[in-house]
Amino acid sequence: MKPDRETVAEPAGEAPAQQAFASYAAPLVDEAIELANGIRHDASPEALHKLRVSLRRLRSLWWAFAPLLDKGENARQRAVYKFLATAAGKTRDWDILIELLSREGSGAQAFMPKLEQARSDTLATSRETLLNADVKHLLRDALATTSAQLHVMHQSDIALRKFAARRIDASERSLKKRIERARRAKRSHYDAFHDVRKAGKKLRYLFEFFGPVLRGGHKRTLKRLKKIQKRFGMLNDTVASEGLLRENAAALASAGDIEAALQWLDKKRKRRLRAASGLLG
């Protein structure tokens, strides 16, 4: 029987981290499988977004437990989650572009039907990829393999609370390093800002996983992480949409004024970049 995500008991802080892994992983695996199955009947932007987020959370959880796992096997499992999230994300990227360009002033109304067709074609490919990947088998196998590995690894047990604190510290250091790098980078160097977004998202997921077993409050940190995720996420949406439109400009050129839409996205990207930069201090 599938565990109820709302009633699964939280692991105790003094329990061994190795034993606590399944308590975190099993509900996430169940959720991802359920969402992947749902794509057969519901291919809305929200459904695809939920699936991609679920897979990203799984990837972050496997990162959190990496010190207790074989490096090669852990990297392989995380690559699987990235592959599946990318498959779900390709359609989501078109959804974001369509949503942005549907706003007044973008000048994209003339080629909106072609964007919708491109979205439909990409969805068909995404569905085929996810169905052929056998998500249920992949995720169940990953859970079983990692759980077994944690059971047999010859290393001293470490209390979950201590382990969680170490991993959050490591994630916080990574985020601070990327913030410093973004502060020094020119605004045209988007990769530095994108790295801040990814590091902030990972840290937020770790707080969601381990928050109940940690000592002390983390409301201020979580509040800042949510701001970073929102503003940097909006920036990423614009950058990705601009790139997607440029990649497909030739196919869309006969349907409308591509250049006007690109100029509109360029202005929006610059505004969102200034807003995101303001959070770096």
Side-chain angles (χ1 to χ4, degrees), residues 168-184:
I168 283 180
D169 284 346
S171 187
E172 285 182 323
R173 288 195 302 271
S174 176
L175 175 59
K176 288 177 182 178
K177 186 184 298 183
R178 282 158 177 73
I179 287 175
E180 286 301 319
R181 190 177 301 157
R183 282 173 179 161
R184 295 192 300 268

PDB file of all heavy atoms in Angstrom, residues 168-184:
ATOM      1  N   ILE A 168      23.263  21.176   5.678  1.00  0.00           N
ATOM      2  CA  ILE A 168      22.728  22.528   5.493  1.00  0.00           C
ATOM      3  C   ILE A 168      23.856  23.549   5.544  1.00  0.00           C
ATOM      4  O   ILE A 168      23.885  24.507   4.757  1.00  0.00           O
ATOM      5  CB  ILE A 168      21.636  22.824   6.533  1.00  0.00           C
ATOM      6  CG1 ILE A 168      20.343  22.112   6.111  1.00  0.00           C
ATOM      7  CG2 ILE A 168      21.402  24.322   6.681  1.00  0.00           C
ATOM      8  CD1 ILE A 168      19.176  22.303   7.017  1.00  0.00           C
ATOM      9  N   ASP A 169      24.822  23.348   6.429  1.00  0.00           N
ATOM     10  CA  ASP A 169      25.987  24.241   6.477  1.00  0.00           C
ATOM     11  C   ASP A 169      26.725  24.221   5.141  1.00  0.00           C
ATOM     12  O   ASP A 169      27.135  25.266   4.631  1.00  0.00           O
ATOM     13  CB  ASP A 169      26.942  23.815   7.599  1.00  0.00           C
ATOM     14  CG  ASP A 169      26.440  24.219   8.976  1.00  0.00           C
ATOM     15  OD1 ASP A 169      25.498  25.043   9.038  1.00  0.00           O
ATOM     16  OD2 ASP A 169      26.983  23.707   9.974  1.00  0.00           O
ATOM     17  N   ALA A 170      26.905  23.034   4.576  1.00  0.00           N
ATOM     18  CA  ALA A 170      27.598  22.918   3.292  1.00  0.00           C
ATOM     19  C   ALA A 170      26.817  23.628   2.189  1.00  0.00           C
ATOM     20  O   ALA A 170      27.399  24.314   1.332  1.00  0.00           O
ATOM     21  CB  ALA A 170      27.787  21.449   2.940  1.00  0.00           C
ATOM     22  N   SER A 171      25.494  23.494   2.223  1.00  0.00           N
ATOM     23  CA  SER A 171      24.658  24.138   1.220  1.00  0.00           C
ATOM     24  C   SER A 171      24.670  25.654   1.388  1.00  0.00           C
ATOM     25  O   SER A 171      24.684  26.405   0.397  1.00  0.00           O
ATOM     26  CB  SER A 171      23.231  23.602   1.319  1.00  0.00           C
ATOM     27  OG  SER A 171      22.428  24.082   0.266  1.00  0.00           O
ATOM     28  N   GLU A 172      24.671  26.127   2.627  1.00  0.00           N
ATOM     29  CA  GLU A 172      24.727  27.568   2.884  1.00  0.00           C
ATOM     30  C   GLU A 172      26.049  28.161   2.402  1.00  0.00           C
ATOM     31  O   GLU A 172      26.074  29.257   1.823  1.00  0.00           O
ATOM     32  CB  GLU A 172      24.534  27.849   4.374  1.00  0.00           C
ATOM     33  CG  GLU A 172      23.089  27.690   4.836  1.00  0.00           C
ATOM     34  CD  GLU A 172      22.910  28.032   6.306  1.00  0.00           C
ATOM     35  OE1 GLU A 172      23.825  27.712   7.108  1.00  0.00           O
ATOM     36  OE2 GLU A 172      21.876  28.620   6.649  1.00  0.00           O
ATOM     37  N   ARG A 173      27.152  27.438   2.626  1.00  0.00           N
ATOM     38  CA  ARG A 173      28.451  27.922   2.157  1.00  0.00           C
ATOM     39  C   ARG A 173      28.468  28.010   0.629  1.00  0.00           C
ATOM     40  O   ARG A 173      29.018  28.959   0.053  1.00  0.00           O
ATOM     41  CB  ARG A 173      29.569  26.993   2.642  1.00  0.00           C
ATOM     42  CG  ARG A 173      29.855  27.096   4.128  1.00  0.00           C
ATOM     43  CD  ARG A 173      31.185  26.444   4.482  1.00  0.00           C
ATOM     44  NE  ARG A 173      31.252  25.038   4.108  1.00  0.00           N
ATOM     45  CZ  ARG A 173      30.859  24.044   4.894  1.00  0.00           C
ATOM     46  NH1 ARG A 173      30.359  24.301   6.105  1.00  0.00           N
ATOM     47  NH2 ARG A 173      30.956  22.781   4.495  1.00  0.00           N
ATOM     48  N   SER A 174      27.862  27.018  -0.016  1.00  0.00           N
ATOM     49  CA  SER A 174      27.796  27.021  -1.471  1.00  0.00           C
ATOM     50  C   SER A 174      26.996  28.219  -1.974  1.00  0.00           C
ATOM     51  O   SER A 174      27.388  28.879  -2.943  1.00  0.00           O
ATOM     52  CB  SER A 174      27.159  25.715  -1.954  1.00  0.00           C
ATOM     53  OG  SER A 174      27.001  25.718  -3.354  1.00  0.00           O
ATOM     54  N   LEU A 175      25.881  28.512  -1.310  1.00  0.00           N
ATOM     55  CA  LEU A 175      25.054  29.647  -1.713  1.00  0.00           C
ATOM     56  C   LEU A 175      25.812  30.959  -1.533  1.00  0.00           C
ATOM     57  O   LEU A 175      25.801  31.828  -2.422  1.00  0.00           O
ATOM     58  CB  LEU A 175      23.760  29.668  -0.902  1.00  0.00           C
ATOM     59  CG  LEU A 175      22.844  30.884  -1.130  1.00  0.00           C
ATOM     60  CD1 LEU A 175      22.438  30.985  -2.596  1.00  0.00           C
ATOM     61  CD2 LEU A 175      21.608  30.797  -0.228  1.00  0.00           C
ATOM     62  N   LYS A 176      26.494  31.129  -0.389  1.00  0.00           N
ATOM     63  CA  LYS A 176      27.246  32.366  -0.144  1.00  0.00           C
ATOM     64  C   LYS A 176      28.337  32.560  -1.183  1.00  0.00           C
ATOM     65  O   LYS A 176      28.586  33.670  -1.652  1.00  0.00           O
ATOM     66  CB  LYS A 176      27.848  32.324   1.267  1.00  0.00           C
ATOM     67  CG  LYS A 176      26.820  32.491   2.374  1.00  0.00           C
ATOM     68  CD  LYS A 176      27.462  32.363   3.751  1.00  0.00           C
ATOM     69  CE  LYS A 176      26.417  32.479   4.856  1.00  0.00           C
ATOM     70  NZ  LYS A 176      27.030  32.297   6.205  1.00  0.00           N
ATOM     71  N   LYS A 177      29.007  31.475  -1.551  1.00  0.00           N
ATOM     72  CA  LYS A 177      30.071  31.554  -2.557  1.00  0.00           C
ATOM     73  C   LYS A 177      29.510  32.009  -3.898  1.00  0.00           C
ATOM     74  O   LYS A 177      30.110  32.840  -4.594  1.00  0.00           O
ATOM     75  CB  LYS A 177      30.728  30.180  -2.702  1.00  0.00           C
ATOM     76  CG  LYS A 177      31.943  30.157  -3.620  1.00  0.00           C
ATOM     77  CD  LYS A 177      32.485  28.741  -3.780  1.00  0.00           C
ATOM     78  CE  LYS A 177      32.963  28.176  -2.454  1.00  0.00           C
ATOM     79  NZ  LYS A 177      33.561  26.819  -2.608  1.00  0.00           N
ATOM     80  N   ARG A 178      28.349  31.489  -4.250  1.00  0.00           N
ATOM     81  CA  ARG A 178      27.745  31.856  -5.534  1.00  0.00           C
ATOM     82  C   ARG A 178      27.195  33.278  -5.520  1.00  0.00           C
ATOM     83  O   ARG A 178      27.210  33.964  -6.548  1.00  0.00           O
ATOM     84  CB  ARG A 178      26.654  30.846  -5.895  1.00  0.00           C
ATOM     85  CG  ARG A 178      27.253  29.553  -6.447  1.00  0.00           C
ATOM     86  CD  ARG A 178      26.344  28.361  -6.327  1.00  0.00           C
ATOM     87  NE  ARG A 178      26.943  27.179  -6.944  1.00  0.00           N
ATOM     88  CZ  ARG A 178      27.949  26.490  -6.425  1.00  0.00           C
ATOM     89  NH1 ARG A 178      28.478  26.866  -5.262  1.00  0.00           N
ATOM     90  NH2 ARG A 178      28.450  25.439  -7.049  1.00  0.00           N
ATOM     91  N   ILE A 179      26.717  33.725  -4.363  1.00  0.00           N
ATOM     92  CA  ILE A 179      26.262  35.117  -4.245  1.00  0.00           C
ATOM     93  C   ILE A 179      27.431  36.068  -4.434  1.00  0.00           C
ATOM     94  O   ILE A 179      27.334  37.084  -5.140  1.00  0.00           O
ATOM     95  CB  ILE A 179      25.574  35.344  -2.883  1.00  0.00           C
ATOM     96  CG1 ILE A 179      24.191  34.679  -2.874  1.00  0.00           C
ATOM     97  CG2 ILE A 179      25.435  36.841  -2.597  1.00  0.00           C
ATOM     98  CD1 ILE A 179      23.478  34.746  -1.540  1.00  0.00           C
ATOM     99  N   GLU A 180      28.557  35.761  -3.818  1.00  0.00           N
ATOM    100  CA  GLU A 180      29.747  36.603  -3.978  1.00  0.00           C
ATOM    101  C   GLU A 180      30.187  36.636  -5.438  1.00  0.00           C
ATOM    102  O   GLU A 180      30.583  37.692  -5.954  1.00  0.00           O
ATOM    103  CB  GLU A 180      30.887  36.074  -3.100  1.00  0.00           C
ATOM    104  CG  GLU A 180      30.706  36.369  -1.616  1.00  0.00           C
ATOM    105  CD  GLU A 180      30.605  37.866  -1.330  1.00  0.00           C
ATOM    106  OE1 GLU A 180      31.367  38.639  -1.961  1.00  0.00           O
ATOM    107  OE2 GLU A 180      29.760  38.257  -0.518  1.00  0.00           O
ATOM    108  N   ARG A 181      30.137  35.499  -6.092  1.00  0.00           N
ATOM    109  CA  ARG A 181      30.528  35.431  -7.496  1.00  0.00           C
ATOM    110  C   ARG A 181      29.577  36.266  -8.355  1.00  0.00           C
ATOM    111  O   ARG A 181      30.015  36.966  -9.275  1.00  0.00           O
ATOM    112  CB  ARG A 181      30.518  33.978  -7.948  1.00  0.00           C
ATOM    113  CG  ARG A 181      31.134  33.738  -9.319  1.00  0.00           C
ATOM    114  CD  ARG A 181      31.131  32.253  -9.638  1.00  0.00           C
ATOM    115  NE  ARG A 181      31.876  31.493  -8.639  1.00  0.00           N
ATOM    116  CZ  ARG A 181      31.691  30.202  -8.401  1.00  0.00           C
ATOM    117  NH1 ARG A 181      30.763  29.530  -9.064  1.00  0.00           N
ATOM    118  NH2 ARG A 181      32.415  29.579  -7.494  1.00  0.00           N
ATOM    119  N   ALA A 182      28.286  36.223  -8.048  1.00  0.00           N
ATOM    120  CA  ALA A 182      27.310  36.998  -8.814  1.00  0.00           C
ATOM    121  C   ALA A 182      27.473  38.493  -8.563  1.00  0.00           C
ATOM    122  O   ALA A 182      27.274  39.308  -9.468  1.00  0.00           O
ATOM    123  CB  ALA A 182      25.891  36.553  -8.443  1.00  0.00           C
ATOM    124  N   ARG A 183      27.826  38.859  -7.334  1.00  0.00           N
ATOM    125  CA  ARG A 183      28.060  40.279  -7.037  1.00  0.00           C
ATOM    126  C   ARG A 183      29.182  40.852  -7.888  1.00  0.00           C
ATOM    127  O   ARG A 183      29.137  42.012  -8.308  1.00  0.00           O
ATOM    128  CB  ARG A 183      28.410  40.447  -5.554  1.00  0.00           C
ATOM    129  CG  ARG A 183      27.224  40.389  -4.606  1.00  0.00           C
ATOM    130  CD  ARG A 183      27.713  40.395  -3.176  1.00  0.00           C
ATOM    131  NE  ARG A 183      26.607  40.371  -2.222  1.00  0.00           N
ATOM    132  CZ  ARG A 183      26.730  40.015  -0.951  1.00  0.00           C
ATOM    133  NH1 ARG A 183      27.929  39.654  -0.485  1.00  0.00           N
ATOM    134  NH2 ARG A 183      25.692  40.027  -0.148  1.00  0.00           N
ATOM    135  N   ARG A 184      30.220  40.028  -8.100  1.00  0.00           N
ATOM    136  CA  ARG A 184      31.382  40.503  -8.863  1.00  0.00           C
ATOM    137  C   ARG A 184      31.168  40.409 -10.369  1.00  0.00           C
ATOM    138  O   ARG A 184      31.880  41.060 -11.142  1.00  0.00           O
ATOM    139  CB  ARG A 184      32.621  39.682  -8.486  1.00  0.00           C
ATOM    140  CG  ARG A 184      33.057  39.849  -7.037  1.00  0.00           C
ATOM    141  CD  ARG A 184      34.435  39.243  -6.807  1.00  0.00           C
ATOM    142  NE  ARG A 184      34.468  37.813  -7.101  1.00  0.00           N
ATOM    143  CZ  ARG A 184      34.255  36.862  -6.197  1.00  0.00           C
ATOM    144  NH1 ARG A 184      33.991  37.199  -4.930  1.00  0.00           N
ATOM    145  NH2 ARG A 184      34.296  35.588  -6.527  1.00  0.00           N
TER     146      ARG A 184
END
